[in-house]
Amino acid sequence: AIGCDPAFQGVDLGVIVEGRGNRLESMDEAEYSDTTQIAASLYSRVLSHGRFNCDLGVDCVGTGMGVGDILEGADYQLSDCLNRLNRKDMEYQPPEAPGMPPVRPDDFDCWRSQAWWQFRCDLEAGNIDLSPLRALPAWSLLVKEVMAHQMSRHNGKIRITPKEKLRDKDILGWSPGRADALVAWNWVRRRIMNFASAVQAQAASSSDYGLYKPKEDAIPSVWL
């Protein structure tokens, strides 16, 4: 699976992550905002894996909208594997968070909040292996971006911290492209759904997943 958070107007980094199953394999960053360049890179990556064996998730808001249009256009025709991440999924079945009552798709304010909810639950269940990214220079920035996100209630809806707020110099000072690409990948990937299988996969890879044992609080302040 491939997750992408395109750059916006050349100010932020465009980020693409790739992984197989529950395991992340790479994270690439680029200072560009040209939609044709981003689309061409994604198309090349999809073909390298086999277009019918790859799931692609692109944040199709802002710059990403143009990227999605190109990927679905006549030149690339990737509508069969592209997930345009720009609206809430009303068929989404949210996992239950410890200590929290069950939630429904309508309880979220947008798709991004749904995806971060799923990401957090997968992390706590040990269903994501981030260990291959630890050697990257940007690992500490990725961790910082993830930890900057918090969930809250806004107008009765569950909301993840908006990108606009995270750009504040007192929080991050930049857009969390690394974390959002990771969350996009997690949303579209084919995952191991039960913890027992995740433990077996962990033992097989001798990885500790870079995760902590979940605490009693329902929405922890530290996710990695």
Side-chain angles (χ1 to χ4, degrees), residues 93-180:
Q93 298 298 318
E96 292 187 18
M100 294 284 288
V103 295
R104 304 166 301 170
D106 194 49
D107 291 326
F108 298 92
D109 68 334
C110 64
W111 165 80
R112 189 166 177 269
S113 296
Q114 288 182 322
W116 273 90
W117 179 277
Q118 181 66 52
F119 176 66
R120 187 210 63 191
C121 290
D122 282 330
L123 274 181
E124 292 184 350
N127 284 335
I128 303 178
D129 183 357
L130 299 177
S131 59
L133 302 187
R134 286 181 173 180
L136 296 179
W139 168 254
S140 61
L141 295 176
L142 172 63
V143 173
K144 187 173 183 178
E145 289 181 9
V146 171
M147 291 173 62
H149 287 77
Q150 296 191 18
M151 286 190 166
S152 61
R153 286 277 182 177
H154 182 73
N155 294 330
K157 300 289 185 179
I158 298 172
R159 182 179 71 167
I160 196 69
T161 308
K163 290 185 179 183
E164 294 74 17
K165 185 174 181 180
L166 293 169
R167 288 192 179 99
D168 190 296
K169 63 180 181 180
D170 294 329
I171 303 179
L172 282 177
W174 67 86
S175 182
R178 302 173 186 86
D180 281 336

Side-chain angles (χ1 to χ4, degrees), residues 83 85-94 104-106 108 110-112 114-115 187:
N83 191 328
L85 309 176
N86 59 1
R87 65 183 61 185
K88 189 162 57 174
D89 183 356
M90 296 307 297
E91 297 182 0
Y92 171 58
Q93 298 298 318
R104 304 166 301 170
D106 194 49
F108 298 92
C110 64
W111 165 80
R112 189 166 177 269
Q114 288 182 322
W187 182 261

Side-chain angles (χ1 to χ4, degrees), residues 32 34 189:
Y32 51 48
D34 183 271
R189 71 183 175 89

